[in-house]
Amino acid sequence: MELPVRSWISYMRNQGCTLYVGIEALETNAVKAYVFAVNTVLKYNHVMNVEIPNSLLSGGKGKVEGDITLFVPTHNISSLFEELNWVNTTPKRQIKVK
């Protein structure tokens, strides 16, 4: 399905969602990001994984492409990312400063 980004943003705001963006990676030809549409009243999130071509950012040419997971209950958002298993955790070290 194709949908203009401005229309989607407008619709999400009209539905009471606040939008947040997190950059996952800056690649040679594109920016990979997550867009979160959070509805705190009804306690759900829409999570969109997008790829934005650099040509769109620099010259206005290209399309944002992505996948979306709809109506994720707010209390289940962490389990969505556990399923994706894209977070690498490293052990934390404590350093003493004298």
Side-chain angles (χ1 to χ4, degrees), residues 80-95:
L80 173 66
F81 288 100
E82 287 172 11
E83 289 175 18
L84 295 174
N85 196 22
W86 58 272
V87 177
N88 293 327
T89 57
T90 56
K92 294 181 181 176
R93 298 184 329 191
Q94 291 184 350
I95 300 172

Side-chain angles (χ1 to χ4, degrees), residues 9 11 13 23 27 40 42-43 46 54 57 62 65 83:
I9 290 171
Y11 179 76
R13 287 182 175 157
I23 303 300
E27 297 187 347
T40 56
L42 298 176
K43 308 277 189 237
H46 301 307
N54 289 340
L57 297 172
E65 294 187 9
E83 289 175 18

Side-chain angles (χ1 to χ4, degrees), residues 14-40:
N14 287 337
Q15 294 300 309
C17 294
T18 303
L19 299 170
Y20 301 93
V21 175
I23 303 300
E24 179 184 8
L26 300 173
E27 297 187 347
T28 305
N29 297 323
V31 174
K32 290 187 175 184
Y34 281 91
V35 180
F36 298 89
V38 180
N39 188 311
T40 56

Side-chain angles (χ1 to χ4, degrees), residues 4 11 15-16 41 47 56 67 72 75-76 80 88 93 96:
Y11 179 76
Q15 294 300 309
V41 175
V47 182
L56 181 64
D67 298 316
V72 178
H75 67 279
N76 284 349
L80 173 66
N88 293 327
R93 298 184 329 191
K96 284 188 177 181

